[in-house]
Amino acid sequence: MKKMIPCFFLSCCIMKSFSQSVQKNENDYRPYIHFTPKSGWMNDPNGLVFYKGNYHLFFQHYPYGTQWGPMHWGHAISNDLLHWKELPIALYPDSLGYIFSGSAVCDIANTSELGTKNNPPLIAIFTQHNETENKKGSITFQNQSIAFSLDEGQTWHKYKKNPVIKNPGITDFRDPKVIWYESEKKWIMVLAVKDHVSIYSSKNLLQWQWESDFGKNEGSHAGVWECPDLFTLTHNDKKVWVLTVSINPGGPNKGSATQYFVGSFNGKSFTSNQQKTKWIDYGRDNYAGVTFSGTGDRKIFVGWMSNWDYANFVPTKEWRSAFTIPRNLSLKKIANEYYLASNPIEELDKLIIKKESTAFTSTAYTLNAATILDLYVNSKSNFTIQLENELHEKIITGFTFKQNEFYVDRTKAGNTTFSDNFSSKSVTKRIAEDSLIHYKLLIDKTSVEIFADDGLNTITEIFFPHLPFTNCKVEADMKGEITIKTLKACMYN
Ligand code: FRU
């Protein structure tokens, strides 16, 4: 039997008005607070770099249509990771090919000599995909190139001697992510090579040397490996290396998803004893995510909030796809094993313009802006949080005690017919073992991001109701020990 559980308090935090947030009509699916391109197609986040007070966000972009096409790098900047200003396209396709995914760094010591010590260059490292060669049947159509900027990312110049890494004869050879390896004062690149990651090193970003491979016998191999990242996180004063890699298809709930490995890196090779396949997000809409360069020990992750299973067909009109809310990554140890946790960046709090705390006894709540719900629920309870509109279309999220699973059910979420692969219920076994579940939801117009147990189980899903979801209902099974300790809502206008 289900019964409404009284919640102890609700605090409403009304946030500052948001530049891209106006809902013009019911059919406008543009989110309140998530980054979307002004127009055209977008997929992976690229070249995430923080430099001189600005976060730069580049993205896989086809500006002339809303389906995937010849790739450009779109560009946006922000000083708080939330208010983005879209800038002119940074990189256009050229005779070497489309501009596929990659990364960006600030070459502070001017190792590349493409700038000066006083004005170090920003360097973008990306794959060039030569579609003409591909069509001719060549297998060496993906190569790595670089471009540099001497004006803080406003204009970009392709390096004259591109490509800097030539294809050794493999069809999938892409998505370079470059980091600075301080102890040996050299650059390290991780590259996705079909069913594994290759690691390269360089002293100057121009000449690269192959060092090692990782992953042929590790993790999931149900699809092609793409968009790797390599970074450290500190856990109890210990630096631990993490390698993330996206895979398509083969995600835990079908299609595209991102797995990770916790291990060590010695400047040449990455090793991991991890036995289980672990996922950064168990939902269907967090793909190709990578972290920012230039943020020191803080690792900020952004993913593409879609899935190759249906990305080209979602029912938006002038633009297609959004990014996840930026997330802080951290490590947690459960039963002596490391897990990656993702949590929304604390900058979200800065958007609060009005804060209310009211004791309340109802579990029904009206949604009219992006909302954060923070709940604490006894883990011996089944509970649901349902978002609904006047047409009774709904998204149901929650937890089943018996299966020990979190889930998001979007089978009744409105428009699901644009692709046979869209309608789904995603489930994930709970990782944490505490008796209390901390369940945080970030709800936007067309997405929900769940951060359960402080980000140990994350589920990101998009949806397209015919009218906005305006009603939110929290329910839990009637059992003596069940308590929803707090319910907070934060709103952005
Ligand atoms: C991942 C991906 C990358 C590639 C890019 C092309 O979504 O397939 O491997 O570089 O998209 O747009």
Side-chain angles (χ1 to χ4, degrees), residues 391-449:
L391 305 170
H392 301 297
E393 296 170 342
K394 56 186 94 156
I395 276 277
I396 309 161
T397 86
F399 177 71
T400 45
F401 162 61
K402 231 182 177 169
Q403 283 83 16
N404 196 32
E405 277 173 357
F406 297 108
Y407 64 90
V408 173
D409 183 348
R410 65 178 180 194
T411 54
K412 298 180 187 70
N415 188 349
T416 58
T417 54
F418 51 85
S419 159
D420 289 348
N421 291 322
F422 184 78
S423 176
S424 57
K425 181 178 175 182
S426 293
V427 293
T428 162
K429 286 268 174 245
R430 185 178 186 225
I431 296 167
E433 295 168 341
D434 328 356
S435 58
L436 210 57
I437 296 173
H438 180 194
Y439 196 77
K440 181 186 275 225
L441 297 95
L442 173 52
I443 303 158
D444 205 325
K445 225 187 283 175
T446 44
S447 62
V448 62
E449 292 163 276

Side-chain angles (χ1 to χ4, degrees), residues 100 127-129 140-144 167 171-174:
F100 268 24
T127 300
Q128 291 214 264
H129 170 100
T140 57
F141 54 87
Q142 293 187 338
N143 295 276
Q144 316 320 318
N167 191 307
T171 47
D172 295 288
F173 187 71
R174 58 176 177 269

Side-chain angles (χ1 to χ4, degrees), residues 65-208:
T66 47
Q67 296 203 328
W68 191 89
M71 283 291 111
H72 300 53
W73 270 28
H75 187 194
I77 53 166
S78 167
N79 57 23
D80 65 0
L81 291 160
L82 294 165
H83 299 84
W84 293 99
K85 182 177 166 212
E86 201 170 321
L87 298 179
I89 287 171
L91 296 170
Y92 284 83
D94 59 32
S95 61
L96 294 178
Y98 304 165
I99 315 296
F100 268 24
S101 286
S103 49
V105 291
C106 177
D107 181 14
I108 296 173
N110 194 30
T111 60
S112 61
E113 297 183 357
L114 292 169
T116 58
K117 283 236 162 94
N118 285 338
N119 187 25
L122 278 180
I123 309 258
I125 312 99
F126 48 89
T127 300
Q128 291 214 264
H129 170 100
N130 192 326
E131 187 57 16
T132 318
E133 289 296 310
N134 183 17
K135 283 205 177 111
K136 278 193 211 152
S138 154
I139 53 167
T140 57
F141 54 87
Q142 293 187 338
N143 295 276
Q144 316 320 318
S145 288
I146 67 171
F148 61 97
S149 169
L150 301 175
D151 56 6
E152 297 178 31
Q154 286 181 65
T155 55
W156 290 84
H157 315 278
K158 305 236 179 72
Y159 178 53
K160 294 234 159 48
K161 294 186 190 154
N162 277 339
V164 292
I165 300 183
K166 281 205 175 136
N167 191 307
I170 186 146
T171 47
D172 295 288
F173 187 71
R174 58 176 177 269
D175 309 337
K177 175 78 182 349
V178 172
I179 58 166
W180 177 247
Y181 189 66
E182 176 59 28
S183 55
E184 291 178 27
K185 304 249 179 297
K186 64 183 186 187
W187 300 98
I188 293 292
M189 177 196 291
V190 280
L191 193 69
V193 188
K194 202 178 207 105
D195 60 353
H196 64 276
V197 162
S198 285
I199 297 175
Y200 289 78
S201 72
S202 172
K203 284 281 175 194
N204 60 8
L205 294 159
L206 307 174
Q207 277 100 33
W208 291 91

Side-chain angles (χ1 to χ4, degrees), residues 41 43-44 46 60 68-69 71 99-102 127 142 174-175 192 225-227 246 287-288 304 308:
W41 163 270
N43 57 292
D44 316 353
N46 294 148
Q60 287 288 278
W68 191 89
M71 283 291 111
I99 315 296
F100 268 24
S101 286
T127 300
Q142 293 187 338
R174 58 176 177 269
D175 309 337
W225 283 27
E226 302 184 310
C227 302
S246 285
Y287 192 60
W304 173 43
W308 282 118

